[in-house]
Amino acid sequence: MPAKSKAQQKAAGAALAAKRGDIKKSELKGASRSMEKSMSQSELKELASTKRKGKPEHASKSA
């Protein structure tokens, strides 16, 4: 499942870095913290590797 926004892609990247041990889990905030806990490394990698071109900064609330 590709990321729907740049913000979602960035949060997935931060969560993936924490899951790999590149950054401390205590440094995560908001969505990236919950993503790290609830998603597998492969799911996070798929979201984080989404191309940003053409994505909105934030997904709309109605979608």
Side-chain angles (χ1 to χ4, degrees):
M1 112 181 139
K4 294 183 180 184
S5 68
K6 291 178 185 178
Q8 187 181 40
Q9 188 267 343
K10 290 176 193 176
L16 180 60
K19 196 164 278 269
R20 289 179 174 168
D22 296 336
I23 62 172
K24 295 178 183 177
K25 292 181 181 182
S26 61
E27 293 178 16
L28 296 178
K29 298 177 184 174
S32 57
R33 181 174 287 228
S34 62
M35 283 178 160
E36 191 277 329
K37 290 179 182 177
S38 65
M39 298 177 80
S40 70
Q41 191 167 344
S42 61
E43 290 173 318
L44 289 170
K45 186 176 180 181
E46 185 179 349
L47 271 178
S49 66
T50 302
K51 301 293 182 203
R52 289 189 194 182
K53 187 173 183 177
K55 299 281 185 205
E57 186 61 39
H58 294 278
S60 63
K61 300 283 182 186
S62 62

